[in-house]
Amino acid sequence: MRLFAPRTGRLLLAAGLLATVAACNANKAGPTAELAGYTPDPALKTASAGNLTGRVRHACTVTQARLQNVSEVSLARPCGCYAQRTLASLDQSELAAYRTMGYFNDSARAKALSALDSCQLPRPA
């Protein structure tokens, strides 16, 4: 069963991956404003909380599967934990920034890294 049209699916994946990559780059110098050329998915502005959680969870499974060299299926529970904890910890301004930019701002990245630790997922280098 297909949940998204091919183009929409790619946009969701890109937005989610950028959110996860931005969260994981918190240890690196400089803000994430350097994501030149990235255009956030306009659907983020009106996406439901469940949709946002699904986007972050999916991005986590893709990123962590590559990082750990394991199947995405094996990461369903820890990435679900990560997505729920991260989004639950965001304040209104951080959530609004995510909806606008398509990735976590600096303060939200710190919370995302804490969620990675809490859910026992490795931080990307």
Side-chain angles (χ1 to χ4, degrees), residues 78-98:
C79 283
C81 169
Y82 165 76
Q84 289 176 345
R85 285 181 188 233
T86 300
L87 291 174
S89 71
L90 301 183
D91 64 30
Q92 291 300 317
S93 66
E94 292 164 336
L95 187 58
Y98 173 64

Side-chain angles (χ1 to χ4, degrees), residues 42-74:
L44 276 172
K45 290 187 187 268
T46 58
S48 68
N51 183 274
L52 293 177
T53 301
R55 288 171 182 245
V56 173
R57 182 180 55 245
H58 181 71
C60 173
T61 59
V62 170
T63 302
Q64 289 288 326
R66 289 182 185 155
L67 178 68
Q68 298 182 44
N69 199 26
V70 297
S71 73
E72 290 180 20
V73 173
S74 69

